Amino acid sequence: MKVAKTISALRTWRKNASTRIFLVPTMGALHAGHAALIRSARKAVGPRGCVVVSLFVNPTQFGPKEDFASYPRPLRRDLAVCRKAGADVVFTPGVGEMYAQDRSITVEESSLSRALCGRSRPGHFQGVCTVVAKLFLAVQPTHAIFGEKDWQQLAILRRMVRDLNFPITIIAHPTIREPDGLAISSRNAYLTPIERSRAPRIHEVLQCAAQKRTPTGIERFARKALSAIPGARLDYVEAVEADTLTPLKSRKRPGRLAAAVFLGKARLIDNIPLLVLT
Ligand code: PAF
């Protein structure tokens, strides 16, 4: 497994690399969800293709009061996870490699980014789009894999690829969950044992809410039940159209039920499909 710290090292490798390259962009602190993404890339790319994993805690997607400084960076452990899951190349740039100090260009998606997490995390998706566009240009993959846990990020990045004509296929990977249903996330590490025992309730509530016949009924049920989790503070819970993230009007169209909940220091996000009801 090759470790590249610079874009120029990556480009040198890229000149002789296979024509099929799967990129798994991550911020490191790899867990079972990331390992599943890398394994799935390994399987899909085939024996002659290459799997590139990027490990980069991207400062531009964190708000001023968010956890950029304390975000875990266990590089040796992450490299071991990448190796075991089948990565060929790991790209580990420093902040100075990715961003010039006087940078003045960003990539902004101006519609889907306004919904859901975009309301409480201004600038977050601009940071995500900018760094992912830069990773796409540095690695030049044919495919890139993102988890469905951040459904909004996936929808925005699909839009970015479409609108900027990146010759890249985006692949969605189903959310990986703990046996009790909690969506696996690096931020679960911030939960105290008591918060951890309450966190699976988020997924349970979303599943129960999805049984209701109308979007209003779904949101009303979920808002009440999520707010009732001891110690939880609800950021949002919304039933939205799966592609456009606009409010879901009826169950005649495919939707997504998405929520963000603060539990102690952790802000947990989750979402599930809302299938069309006949
Ligand atoms: O989902 C993440 O881990 C990050 O938002 C990403 C896509 C790696 C960009 O920094």
Side-chain angles (χ1 to χ4, degrees), residues 28-102:
L30 302 183
H31 48 59
H34 295 114
L37 257 61
I38 302 168
R39 278 199 306 273
S40 141
R42 174 79 273 152
K43 202 166 160 200
V45 79
R48 280 199 240 115
C50 282
V51 176
V52 180
V53 179
S54 61
L55 305 175
F56 180 62
V57 186
N58 172 35
T60 65
Q61 68 186 78
F62 288 79
K65 292 190 184 138
E66 292 183 352
D67 53 346
F68 172 68
S70 60
Y71 200 86
R73 291 161 171 85
L75 182 60
R76 276 162 63 114
R77 224 191 121 261
D78 284 349
L79 291 176
V81 173
C82 290
R83 189 174 290 110
K84 189 159 175 233
D88 298 294
V89 177
V90 183
F91 180 44
T92 60
V95 174
E97 180 67 13
M98 290 300 279
Y99 292 112
Q101 282 213 334
D102 61 348

Side-chain angles (χ1 to χ4, degrees), residues 248-261:
L248 188 68
K249 298 256 164 38
S250 83
R251 297 217 53 185
K252 291 195 183 118
R253 293 177 60 82
R256 212 78 198 177
L257 179 59
V261 177

